[in-house]
Amino acid sequence: MPVTIRDVARASGVHISTVSRTFSAPHLVNPETRVRVLACAEDLGYRPNRAARALITGRTHNIGLIIADIANPFFPPLIKAAESQARSRDYHVFVADTNEDPSAEEELVHALAKQVDGVLLCSPRMSNSLIEQLSREVPLVVINRQVAGLPCVMMDVGQGARSAVEHLVGLGHRRIGLLGGPRGSWTNREIRRTAGAAARSGGAELTLIGPNPPTVAGGGAQAEHVRRSGVTAVLAYNDLMAIGLIEGLDALGVRVPQDVSVVGIDDIALSRLTRPKLTTVATPTGAAGRSAVDMLLQQDPEAPRRGNGRSTATGDRRTTAQLMLQTELVIRDSTGPVLRSGRPRTGAATDGPGPHGPADPGYPAATPGEVVASSAKE
Protein backbone atom coordinates (compact mmCIF):
# COMPACT_ATOMS: atom_id res chain seq x y z
CA MET A 1 0.00 0.00 0.00
CA PRO A 2 1.51 3.38 -1.00
CA VAL A 3 2.63 5.78 1.71
CA THR A 4 0.30 8.78 2.06
CA ILE A 5 0.64 12.30 3.40
CA ARG A 6 -1.28 11.14 6.50
CA ASP A 7 1.43 8.56 7.23
CA VAL A 8 4.11 11.26 7.08
CA ALA A 9 2.08 13.57 9.32
CA ARG A 10 1.58 10.80 11.89
CA ALA A 11 5.26 9.83 11.87
CA SER A 12 6.51 13.40 12.20
CA GLY A 13 3.90 14.48 14.76
CA VAL A 14 2.48 17.38 12.73
CA HIS A 15 -0.77 18.22 10.98
CA ILE A 16 -1.37 17.12 7.39
CA SER A 17 -1.40 20.76 6.28
CA THR A 18 2.14 21.20 7.65
CA VAL A 19 3.36 18.27 5.55
CA SER A 20 1.64 19.77 2.53
CA ARG A 21 3.30 23.15 3.09
CA THR A 22 6.67 21.47 3.56
CA PHE A 23 6.53 20.30 -0.04
CA SER A 24 4.56 23.12 -1.65
CA ALA A 25 5.84 26.18 0.25
CA PRO A 26 8.80 25.11 2.42
CA HIS A 27 9.77 28.68 3.30
CA LEU A 28 6.54 28.93 5.30
CA VAL A 29 7.49 26.03 7.59
CA ASN A 30 9.73 26.28 10.64
CA PRO A 31 13.19 24.98 9.61
CA GLU A 32 13.34 22.35 12.37
CA THR A 33 9.86 21.10 11.53
CA ARG A 34 10.68 21.06 7.82
CA VAL A 35 13.80 18.94 8.39
CA ARG A 36 11.83 16.49 10.56
CA VAL A 37 9.02 16.14 8.02
CA LEU A 38 11.42 15.62 5.12
CA ALA A 39 13.39 13.03 7.09
CA CYS A 40 10.20 11.09 7.91
CA ALA A 41 9.08 11.30 4.29
CA GLU A 42 12.44 9.96 3.14
CA ASP A 43 12.36 7.09 5.68
CA LEU A 44 8.84 6.12 4.64
CA GLY A 45 9.53 6.45 0.92
CA TYR A 46 6.85 9.09 0.44
CA ARG A 47 6.67 10.97 -2.85
CA PRO A 48 4.28 13.92 -3.15
CA ASN A 49 1.57 13.79 -5.80
CA ARG A 50 2.64 16.45 -8.30
CA ALA A 51 -0.78 16.70 -9.89
CA ALA A 52 -2.47 17.30 -6.54
CA ARG A 53 0.18 19.78 -5.53
CA ALA A 54 -0.30 21.67 -8.78
CA LEU A 55 -4.01 22.08 -8.02
CA ILE A 56 -3.11 23.69 -4.69
CA THR A 57 -0.13 25.80 -5.68
CA GLY A 58 -0.90 26.53 -9.34
CA ARG A 59 2.58 25.22 -10.21
CA THR A 60 3.27 22.00 -12.10
CA HIS A 61 7.02 21.87 -11.41
CA ASN A 62 7.43 21.06 -15.09
CA ILE A 63 9.41 23.04 -17.69
CA GLY A 64 9.07 22.84 -21.47
CA LEU A 65 12.22 22.91 -23.60
CA ILE A 66 11.58 23.52 -27.30
CA ILE A 67 14.55 23.05 -29.61
CA ALA A 68 15.08 23.48 -33.33
CA ASP A 69 16.52 20.05 -34.18
CA ILE A 70 17.19 17.25 -31.73
CA ALA A 71 19.38 15.48 -34.30
CA ASN A 72 21.84 18.39 -34.27
CA PRO A 73 24.73 17.53 -31.88
CA PHE A 74 24.72 21.16 -30.69
CA PHE A 75 21.57 20.56 -28.62
CA PRO A 76 22.09 17.39 -26.48
CA PRO A 77 24.65 18.98 -24.10
CA LEU A 78 22.27 21.91 -23.60
CA ILE A 79 19.35 19.54 -22.96
CA LYS A 80 21.33 17.45 -20.45
CA ALA A 81 22.52 20.55 -18.58
CA ALA A 82 19.00 22.01 -18.42
CA GLU A 83 17.53 18.72 -17.20
CA SER A 84 20.21 18.32 -14.53
CA GLN A 85 19.72 21.87 -13.29
CA ALA A 86 15.95 21.46 -13.25
CA ARG A 87 16.14 18.21 -11.27
CA SER A 88 18.31 19.91 -8.67
CA ARG A 89 15.45 22.39 -8.23
CA ASP A 90 12.78 19.62 -8.11
CA TYR A 91 11.57 20.31 -11.65
CA HIS A 92 11.06 18.04 -14.64
CA VAL A 93 11.79 18.97 -18.27
CA PHE A 94 9.64 18.11 -21.29
CA VAL A 95 11.69 18.26 -24.51
CA ALA A 96 10.05 18.96 -27.87
CA ASP A 97 11.63 19.14 -31.33
CA THR A 98 10.40 21.51 -34.08
CA ASN A 99 12.57 20.34 -37.00
CA GLU A 100 13.42 23.99 -37.76
CA ASP A 101 9.72 24.74 -38.37
CA PRO A 102 8.46 28.07 -36.90
CA SER A 103 4.81 26.99 -37.13
CA ALA A 104 5.63 23.90 -35.07
CA GLU A 105 7.27 26.15 -32.46
CA GLU A 106 4.10 28.17 -32.04
CA GLU A 107 1.91 25.05 -31.82
CA LEU A 108 4.17 23.52 -29.17
CA VAL A 109 4.16 26.64 -26.99
CA HIS A 110 0.34 26.64 -27.08
CA ALA A 111 0.26 22.90 -26.28
CA LEU A 112 2.67 23.15 -23.35
CA ALA A 113 1.36 26.39 -21.86
CA LYS A 114 -1.12 24.74 -19.47
CA GLN A 115 1.14 21.81 -18.61
CA VAL A 116 4.30 23.63 -17.50
CA ASP A 117 5.38 26.58 -15.38
CA GLY A 118 7.44 28.03 -18.20
CA VAL A 119 9.09 27.30 -21.53
CA LEU A 120 12.71 27.49 -22.66
CA LEU A 121 12.67 28.40 -26.34
CA CYS A 122 16.01 27.45 -27.91
CA SER A 123 17.17 28.85 -31.27
CA PRO A 124 13.61 29.76 -32.34
CA ARG A 125 12.79 30.59 -35.96
CA MET A 126 9.62 32.55 -35.14
CA SER A 127 9.48 36.33 -35.44
CA ASN A 128 10.25 38.44 -32.37
CA SER A 129 6.71 39.81 -32.37
CA LEU A 130 5.22 36.32 -32.20
CA ILE A 131 7.61 35.29 -29.43
CA GLU A 132 6.60 38.38 -27.45
CA GLN A 133 2.93 37.52 -27.98
CA LEU A 134 3.44 33.94 -26.78
CA SER A 135 5.24 35.21 -23.66
CA ARG A 136 1.90 36.62 -22.48
CA GLU A 137 0.52 33.09 -22.49
CA VAL A 138 3.32 31.38 -20.60
CA PRO A 139 6.64 32.56 -19.08
CA LEU A 140 9.40 32.22 -21.67
CA VAL A 141 13.18 32.28 -21.59
CA VAL A 142 14.77 32.51 -25.03
CA ILE A 143 18.09 30.72 -25.62
CA ASN A 144 20.47 31.58 -28.44
CA ARG A 145 18.50 34.61 -29.59
CA GLN A 146 17.92 38.15 -28.39
CA VAL A 147 14.35 39.41 -28.01
CA ALA A 148 13.89 42.86 -26.46
CA GLY A 149 11.94 42.85 -23.21
CA LEU A 150 12.20 39.09 -22.66
CA PRO A 151 14.71 37.09 -20.60
CA CYS A 152 17.38 35.69 -22.93
CA VAL A 153 20.51 33.58 -22.63
CA MET A 154 22.81 34.13 -25.60
CA MET A 155 26.15 32.77 -26.67
CA ASP A 156 28.37 35.46 -28.14
CA VAL A 157 28.67 33.99 -31.64
CA GLY A 158 29.35 37.49 -32.91
CA GLN A 159 32.61 37.66 -30.98
CA GLY A 160 33.38 34.12 -32.07
CA ALA A 161 32.82 34.92 -35.75
CA ARG A 162 34.99 38.02 -35.40
CA SER A 163 37.80 35.95 -33.87
CA ALA A 164 37.49 33.36 -36.65
CA VAL A 165 37.75 35.96 -39.42
CA GLU A 166 40.68 37.68 -37.68
CA HIS A 167 42.40 34.28 -37.44
CA LEU A 168 41.92 33.70 -41.17
CA VAL A 169 43.08 37.21 -42.06
CA GLY A 170 46.14 36.64 -39.90
CA LEU A 171 46.92 33.58 -42.02
CA GLY A 172 46.87 35.75 -45.13
CA HIS A 173 43.37 35.00 -46.42
CA ARG A 174 41.75 37.92 -48.24
CA ARG A 175 38.91 36.10 -50.03
CA ILE A 176 36.74 34.46 -47.39
CA GLY A 177 33.43 32.67 -47.90
CA LEU A 178 30.65 32.79 -45.30
CA LEU A 179 28.52 29.66 -45.49
CA GLY A 180 25.25 31.02 -44.13
CA GLY A 181 22.63 29.18 -42.08
CA PRO A 182 18.83 29.19 -42.21
CA ARG A 183 16.58 32.18 -42.67
CA GLY A 184 15.08 33.54 -39.44
CA SER A 185 18.13 32.64 -37.39
CA TRP A 186 19.38 35.32 -34.99
CA THR A 187 22.72 33.49 -34.84
CA ASN A 188 23.05 33.67 -38.61
CA ARG A 189 22.45 37.43 -38.57
CA GLU A 190 25.00 37.95 -35.79
CA ILE A 191 27.64 35.91 -37.60
CA ARG A 192 27.06 37.80 -40.84
CA ARG A 193 27.16 41.20 -39.13
CA THR A 194 30.33 40.68 -37.12
CA ALA A 195 32.19 38.62 -39.71
CA GLY A 196 31.52 41.38 -42.25
CA ALA A 197 32.89 44.04 -39.92
CA ALA A 198 35.98 41.94 -39.17
CA ALA A 199 36.61 41.35 -42.88
CA ARG A 200 36.38 45.07 -43.64
CA SER A 201 38.74 45.88 -40.80
CA GLY A 202 41.25 43.31 -42.04
CA GLY A 203 41.12 44.36 -45.67
CA ALA A 204 39.42 41.14 -46.78
CA GLU A 205 36.43 40.33 -48.96
CA LEU A 206 33.61 38.29 -47.42
CA THR A 207 31.28 36.46 -49.80
CA LEU A 208 27.98 35.12 -48.51
CA ILE A 209 26.88 31.68 -49.71
CA GLY A 210 23.41 31.06 -48.35
CA PRO A 211 20.95 30.65 -46.80
CA ASN A 212 21.47 26.92 -46.27
CA PRO A 213 20.05 24.19 -44.04
CA PRO A 214 22.28 23.83 -40.96
CA THR A 215 23.19 20.21 -41.71
CA VAL A 216 26.08 18.12 -43.05
CA ALA A 217 24.18 17.82 -46.34
CA GLY A 218 23.67 21.59 -46.41
CA GLY A 219 27.42 22.16 -46.19
CA GLY A 220 28.33 19.40 -48.63
CA ALA A 221 25.92 20.75 -51.23
CA GLN A 222 27.99 23.95 -51.48
CA ALA A 223 31.39 22.31 -52.04
CA GLU A 224 31.32 22.88 -55.81
CA HIS A 225 30.20 26.47 -55.29
CA VAL A 226 33.09 27.06 -52.89
CA ARG A 227 35.59 25.41 -55.24
CA ARG A 228 34.56 27.62 -58.17
CA SER A 229 34.26 30.84 -56.18
CA GLY A 230 38.00 31.24 -55.68
CA VAL A 231 37.76 31.84 -51.92
CA THR A 232 40.72 30.57 -49.93
CA ALA A 233 38.88 30.14 -46.62
CA VAL A 234 35.32 29.52 -45.40
CA LEU A 235 33.56 30.28 -42.12
CA ALA A 236 30.52 28.03 -41.75
CA TYR A 237 27.34 28.73 -39.75
CA ASN A 238 27.96 25.63 -37.65
CA ASP A 239 30.22 22.59 -37.34
CA LEU A 240 27.84 20.28 -39.17
CA MET A 241 27.96 22.46 -42.28
CA ALA A 242 31.75 22.80 -41.98
CA ILE A 243 32.15 19.02 -41.76
CA GLY A 244 29.84 18.53 -44.75
CA LEU A 245 31.81 21.09 -46.72
CA ILE A 246 35.12 19.37 -45.93
CA GLU A 247 33.68 16.04 -47.10
CA GLY A 248 32.36 17.65 -50.27
CA LEU A 249 35.67 19.38 -51.03
CA ASP A 250 37.57 16.15 -50.45
CA ALA A 251 35.36 14.41 -52.99
CA LEU A 252 36.29 17.14 -55.49
CA GLY A 253 40.00 16.76 -54.80
CA VAL A 254 40.26 20.04 -52.88
CA ARG A 255 42.49 19.70 -49.82
CA VAL A 256 41.75 21.22 -46.41
CA PRO A 257 43.59 23.29 -45.26
CA GLN A 258 46.21 23.28 -48.05
CA ASP A 259 43.75 24.54 -50.70
CA VAL A 260 40.88 25.92 -48.60
CA SER A 261 40.79 26.61 -44.86
CA VAL A 262 37.52 25.84 -43.04
CA VAL A 263 36.21 27.09 -39.69
CA GLY A 264 33.02 25.94 -37.94
CA ILE A 265 31.02 27.18 -34.98
CA ASP A 266 29.83 25.17 -31.93
CA ASP A 267 32.72 22.78 -31.11
CA ILE A 268 30.55 19.67 -31.15
CA ALA A 269 32.27 16.38 -30.23
CA LEU A 270 32.42 15.38 -33.89
CA SER A 271 34.63 18.37 -34.70
CA ARG A 272 37.48 16.70 -32.80
CA LEU A 273 37.05 13.40 -34.66
CA THR A 274 37.11 14.66 -38.26
CA ARG A 275 40.21 14.59 -40.42
CA PRO A 276 41.51 17.22 -40.38
CA LYS A 277 40.32 18.16 -36.90
CA LEU A 278 38.08 21.19 -37.21
CA THR A 279 39.05 24.69 -36.19
CA THR A 280 35.89 26.05 -34.59
CA VAL A 281 34.28 28.50 -32.19
CA ALA A 282 33.37 26.77 -28.92
CA THR A 283 29.96 27.76 -27.57
CA PRO A 284 29.02 27.23 -23.87
CA THR A 285 25.87 25.18 -24.46
CA GLY A 286 25.87 23.54 -21.04
CA ALA A 287 26.15 26.88 -19.25
CA ALA A 288 23.37 28.23 -21.43
CA GLY A 289 21.03 25.38 -20.43
CA ARG A 290 21.73 25.80 -16.72
CA SER A 291 21.44 29.58 -16.83
CA ALA A 292 18.14 29.44 -18.71
CA VAL A 293 16.58 27.16 -16.08
CA ASP A 294 17.76 29.45 -13.28
CA MET A 295 16.44 32.49 -15.12
CA LEU A 296 13.03 30.91 -15.59
CA LEU A 297 12.78 29.90 -11.94
CA GLN A 298 13.68 33.39 -10.72
CA GLN A 299 10.01 34.19 -11.02
CA ASP A 300 8.46 34.62 -7.56
CA PRO A 301 7.00 31.19 -6.67
CA GLU A 302 4.34 32.79 -4.49
CA ALA A 303 3.11 35.32 -7.07
CA PRO A 304 -0.68 35.19 -7.49
CA ARG A 305 -1.72 32.78 -10.21
CA ARG A 306 -4.73 32.40 -12.47
CA GLY A 307 -6.63 29.16 -12.46
CA ASN A 308 -4.62 27.93 -15.47
CA GLY A 309 -1.35 28.35 -13.58
CA ARG A 310 -0.11 31.55 -15.27
CA SER A 311 0.93 34.70 -13.49
CA THR A 312 -1.44 37.60 -13.15
CA ALA A 313 -0.36 41.01 -14.35
CA THR A 314 -0.11 42.32 -10.80
CA GLY A 315 1.67 39.29 -9.35
CA ASP A 316 4.03 38.65 -12.22
CA ARG A 317 7.66 39.04 -11.18
CA ARG A 318 9.31 37.62 -14.25
CA THR A 319 12.88 38.61 -14.95
CA THR A 320 13.77 40.39 -18.17
CA ALA A 321 17.50 39.84 -17.69
CA GLN A 322 19.63 39.15 -20.75
CA LEU A 323 22.81 37.12 -20.29
CA MET A 324 25.61 36.91 -22.87
CA LEU A 325 27.99 33.96 -22.48
CA GLN A 326 31.47 34.11 -23.97
CA THR A 327 32.67 31.94 -26.85
CA GLU A 328 36.22 30.89 -27.68
CA LEU A 329 38.09 30.17 -30.91
CA VAL A 330 39.66 26.69 -30.86
CA ILE A 331 42.40 26.38 -33.49
CA ARG A 332 42.96 22.88 -34.84
CA ASP A 333 44.04 21.45 -38.19
CA SER A 334 41.49 22.69 -40.75
CA THR A 335 43.02 26.16 -41.13
CA GLY A 336 46.37 27.13 -42.55
CA PRO A 337 48.21 29.95 -44.35
CA VAL A 338 47.13 31.04 -47.81
CA LEU A 339 49.41 30.24 -50.77
CA ARG A 340 52.07 32.95 -50.98
CA SER A 341 51.83 33.08 -54.77
CA GLY A 342 48.23 34.28 -54.56
CA ARG A 343 47.27 31.86 -57.36
CA PRO A 344 43.80 30.24 -57.20
CA ARG A 345 43.65 27.15 -55.05
CA THR A 346 43.57 23.64 -56.53
CA GLY A 347 40.46 23.23 -58.68
CA ALA A 348 39.35 26.82 -58.21
CA ALA A 349 37.95 28.57 -61.28
CA THR A 350 38.46 32.24 -62.01
CA ASP A 351 35.26 32.82 -63.97
CA GLY A 352 33.03 33.35 -60.95
CA PRO A 353 30.58 31.10 -59.12
CA GLY A 354 29.14 28.14 -60.95
CA PRO A 355 26.14 25.90 -60.29
CA HIS A 356 25.79 24.49 -56.82
CA GLY A 357 24.16 21.42 -55.39
CA PRO A 358 20.50 21.27 -54.41
CA ALA A 359 19.51 22.54 -50.99
CA ASP A 360 17.56 20.36 -48.57
CA PRO A 361 13.76 20.39 -49.05
CA GLY A 362 12.18 23.50 -47.61
CA TYR A 363 15.28 25.68 -48.01
CA PRO A 364 15.91 28.16 -50.80
CA ALA A 365 18.94 27.74 -53.01
CA ALA A 366 22.08 29.54 -51.95
CA THR A 367 22.69 32.99 -53.34
CA PRO A 368 25.39 33.11 -56.00
CA GLY A 369 28.26 34.59 -54.01
CA GLU A 370 26.85 37.80 -52.61
CA VAL A 371 29.70 40.02 -51.42
CA VAL A 372 28.75 41.33 -47.96
CA ALA A 373 32.07 42.92 -47.02
CA SER A 374 35.22 43.91 -48.78
CA SER A 375 38.27 46.08 -48.38
CA ALA A 376 36.80 48.73 -50.68
CA LYS A 377 35.96 52.08 -49.10
CA GLU A 378 32.25 52.56 -48.44
Side-chain angles (χ1 to χ4, degrees):
M1 188 172 180
V3 178
T4 68
I5 193 172
R6 293 180 182 278
D7 297 324
V8 177
R10 188 180 305 111
S12 55
V14 299
H15 194 272
I16 294 174
S17 61
T18 302
V19 178
S20 177
R21 280 195 299 275
T22 298
F23 289 99
S24 62
H27 60 287
L28 298 179
V29 180
N30 179 280
E32 293 182 1
T33 303
R34 184 170 66 242
V35 169
R36 185 168 75 253
V37 169
L38 291 174
C40 289
E42 182 68 23
D43 291 341
L44 295 173
Y46 171 74
R47 295 292 179 269
N49 185 318
R50 286 179 174 266
R53 184 168 64 177
L55 291 174
I56 298 171
T57 64
R59 298 178 70 82
T60 66
H61 276 247
N62 296 322
I63 296 172
L65 173 55
I66 300 176
I67 62 174
D69 181 8
I70 200 168
N72 187 330
F74 168 82
F75 291 105
L78 188 150
I79 294 170
K80 288 182 68 67
E83 288 184 327
S84 176
Q85 190 72 359
R87 280 197 303 273
S88 73
R89 304 284 294 275
D90 194 28
Y91 275 76
H92 292 162
V93 175
F94 298 157
V95 180
D97 175 28
T98 69
N99 197 31
E100 300 276 352
D101 183 353
S103 61
E105 289 173 350
E106 181 181 4
E107 292 171 3
L108 283 166
V109 172
H110 289 310
L112 289 170
K114 295 183 180 180
Q115 305 176 56
V116 299
D117 294 331
V119 171
L120 308 178
L121 197 56
C122 189
S123 299
R125 304 299 183 226
M126 293 182 288
S127 66
N128 283 5
S129 59
L130 181 53
I131 294 173
E132 291 165 5
Q133 179 181 331
L134 292 171
S135 73
R136 302 186 192 109
E137 184 174 348
V138 62
L140 292 178
V141 172
V142 184
I143 305 174
N144 215 26
R145 179 164 174 175
Q146 186 172 34
V147 181
L150 291 182
C152 303
V153 178
M154 297 157 289
M155 288 163 272
D156 198 349
V157 290
Q159 175 57 41
R162 184 181 300 110
S163 297
V165 171
E166 290 173 350
H167 167 62
L168 294 173
V169 169
L171 291 171
H173 296 279
R174 294 298 180 269
R175 299 187 65 186
I176 301 171
L178 177 59
L179 202 57
R183 294 187 189 277
S185 166
W186 174 83
T187 298
N188 192 54
R189 291 193 297 272
E190 284 295 293
I191 293 171
R192 176 172 173 171
R193 178 181 64 81
T194 55
R200 283 191 295 272
S201 177
E205 179 180 282
L206 188 72
T207 301
L208 176 64
I209 305 171
N212 300 286
T215 61
V216 170
Q222 300 308 323
E224 175 66 12
H225 189 160
V226 168
R227 183 184 73 86
R228 292 179 61 83
S229 70
V231 301
T232 62
V234 175
L235 170 62
Y237 168 80
N238 67 7
D239 285 351
L240 290 181
M241 294 180 68
I243 291 168
L245 176 62
I246 291 173
E247 290 179 349
L249 291 173
D250 180 69
L252 295 172
V254 180
R255 302 167 300 169
V256 175
Q258 294 91 336
D259 301 323
V260 176
S261 288
V262 178
V263 182
I265 294 177
D266 287 343
D267 195 27
I268 61 175
L270 191 59
S271 69
R272 297 182 287 278
L273 303 176
T274 59
R275 292 294 179 270
K277 294 181 180 180
L278 184 65
T279 294
T280 185
V281 175
T283 53
T285 51
R290 291 188 293 271
S291 298
V293 169
D294 289 341
M295 196 174 284
L296 185 65
L297 299 185
Q298 283 176 15
Q299 181 175 292
D300 182 359
E302 294 306 303
R305 315 287 285 187
R306 296 192 186 106
N308 59 10
R310 297 191 292 270
S311 297
T312 66
T314 57
D316 191 350
R317 296 189 186 177
R318 304 180 196 177
T319 177
T320 57
Q322 299 201 347
L323 175 64
M324 183 70 79
L325 300 174
Q326 294 303 303
T327 56
E328 180 182 4
L329 179 66
V330 181
I331 300 172
R332 298 196 181 102
D333 303 329
S334 66
T335 52
V338 71
L339 290 179
R340 291 184 180 277
S341 65
R343 294 192 304 271
R345 294 300 179 112
T346 301
T350 59
D351 56 354
H356 39 76
D360 285 1
Y363 286 86
T367 56
E370 176 191 356
V371 177
V372 295
S374 71
S375 59
K377 296 295 184 181
E378 297 183 349

